[in-house]
Amino acid sequence: MSGKVTISLAVNGETIEALVAPRTTLADFLRQDIQLTGTHTGCEMGVCGACLVLLDDRPVHACLMFAVQADGCAVETVEGLTHRRAIDDLQKAFHERNALQCGFCTAGMLVSAYGVLASGDELDRDSIRDALSGNYCRCTGYESIVDAIETTARLRRQHMEKEEA
Amino acid sequence: MKARAFDYMRPKCVQEALEAFVRADGDASYIAGGQSLVPALALRLQAPGLLIDIARLDELRGLSVAGGHLRIGATTRHCEILGSDLVREHAPLLARAAPFVAHPAIRNKGTFGGSLALADPASEFPAMALALDAIIEIASVEGSRRVGAGDFFIDLYETALQPGEIITAVYVPLASAKTRTAFDELARRRGDYAIVGAGIDAEMQGGFVERMRIAFLSVGSTPVRVGAVEAALTGRQLTPQAIRQAQDVLGTELDPVGDEHTPPEMRRHLARVLLGRLLGRLEANV
């Protein structure tokens, strides 16, 4: 029983074949098997949001699924978002607004923020807070994180309006 | 915080999944969204020898309208309910409740059928299935059967599902031009488990209530219909007086549970407050 299973998935655009034990969570697979340690494991029960990754372009908890379930899927981590420069402006806004202190929650915050910014919805502070309702931060009190995301949303909107003009 | 070792399989169809469960002699769990099962495995509250992954079965997918019902495939994810025009048009109560279900990342993975199968009394969709008088379609190796939501929720995390059975779809009666709905809940923070929540599905004509179903969540070991309140309002206009009377009936009908933060009396009071707000919204048609 419990033999390992071969899976094939795209991680940050690169196809990876791996042999995993079925009980290995996607979070542990990313961190331990392929050394992508930007995804953090906090509560490991879907509460803290530190392990959020994009699964087929939607934020999900990497601790709430097993790597075998991601077979055939596309996973993107905070490293992938960084390398393809999808969140340069977001990271800059986090930095400038001091939207992190210890940094443990930041990867999850960025993935949630990426998700809500990419949704195209009109964002106000309430909807940003709603989007972050599954992310714990024990340092900042959230205010600066909401500020940084709000700033990014505003700058992106201004940028788009300039492009259209 | 790591699950016990288990085997994993991804069957090609529902029949294969059902047979695999039987072969495992009951030492198996189905997994779809896994948003409640995976933590239960991590905490070793459950430790099945086999996980049968039904998340990708086409038979369990999709939203469609047929025969006076909206068919919601069991593995329809919460985010799909939230974003669906079909749901907004034909099952507006579900559309109202969907933003309250968990957090965005959970909604991206958790499934409608899974939520009903778990039957958490604090969950929104089981209570709304009750308020909508939904029909739950269940498959087993013996065949398919249908159970009304009123007969489905039996006790805490206990449903009409027998070991090895799978919810395949849920059928919700289509809303009409007379349909009015309201949903809200009281929680310490948005996205937290509700202290108390409720949804109403009603038909109103010329200001009079022709039919009303009200279901509460987080007040007992199952979602709870309040038939005496429904009866007290049927045939009436939602005047301030009628609403106050309905709140009084609720106060005697509801027998809520307490916990360390919320004594039963407080929960009963909050349920009355919530009912008053929801009926006010029905009357104002907002």
Side-chain angles (χ1 to χ4, degrees), chain A:
Chain A
M1 133 156 191
S2 317
K4 291 194 172 183
V5 180
T6 303
I7 59 169
S8 169
L9 71 169
V11 180
N12 298 332
E14 187 187 337
T15 303
I16 292 177
E17 288 218 4
L19 202 59
V20 295
R23 70 164 168 169
T24 303
T25 63
L26 179 61
D28 285 342
F29 171 75
L30 293 170
R31 287 179 56 80
Q32 293 169 14
D33 291 19
I34 58 174
Q35 282 77 51
L36 290 174
T37 51
T39 302
H40 290 171
T41 51
C43 70
E44 297 185 71
M45 52 189 283
V47 175
C48 76
C51 70
L52 292 184
V53 298
L54 297 168
L55 180 75
D56 296 330
D57 226 29
R58 282 177 174 274
V60 300
H61 292 89
C63 77
L64 285 192
M65 63 183 291
F66 298 109
V68 282
Q69 292 174 274
D71 182 31
C73 298
V75 174
E76 191 167 31
T77 68
V78 71
E79 290 95 337
L81 289 172
T82 303
H83 290 151
R84 74 174 167 94
R85 317 208 66 160
I87 51 171
D88 278 8
D89 52 351
L90 192 60
Q91 287 165 315
K92 184 162 175 278
F94 265 61
H95 181 203
E96 283 173 355
R97 184 58 187 84
N98 224 10
L100 65 154
Q101 196 178 106
C102 82
F104 192 87
C105 73
T106 309
M109 288 289 178
L110 290 170
V111 171
S112 269
Y114 171 86
V116 72
L117 287 165
S119 70
D121 296 342
E122 194 76 16
L123 293 185
D124 55 21
R125 295 184 74 82
D126 278 349
S127 54
I128 293 169
R129 282 192 174 273
D130 237 20
L132 298 180
S133 64
N135 292 82
Y136 281 8
C137 172
R138 304 285 82 158
C139 302
T140 63
Y142 302 97
E143 205 62 24
S144 56
I145 296 173
V146 177
D147 286 348
I149 297 170
E150 194 184 24
T151 299
T152 308
R154 192 180 62 246
L155 292 176
R156 285 191 187 182
R157 203 164 50 238
Q158 284 170 2
H159 183 72
M160 259 170 56
E161 282 164 6
K162 211 182 283 175
E163 297 249 298
E164 279 165 16

Side-chain angles (χ1 to χ4, degrees), chain B residues 27-69:
Chain B
D27 185 24
S29 278
Y30 298 116
I31 185 166
Q35 300 300 282
S36 298
L37 179 61
V38 176
L41 295 175
L43 294 164
R44 303 209 178 190
L45 299 172
Q46 292 182 45
L50 172 67
L51 272 199
I52 305 168
D53 188 348
I54 57 172
R56 300 187 195 186
L57 297 179
D58 284 339
E59 299 156 81
L60 303 181
R61 296 202 52 76
L63 289 155
S64 58
V65 173
H69 285 86

Side-chain angles (χ1 to χ4, degrees), chain B residues 10-25:
Chain B
R10 201 185 300 140
K12 300 269 187 297
C13 62
V14 171
Q15 189 60 30
E16 190 187 340
L18 295 167
E19 287 167 7
F21 192 98
V22 172
R23 262 202 316 281
D25 213 9

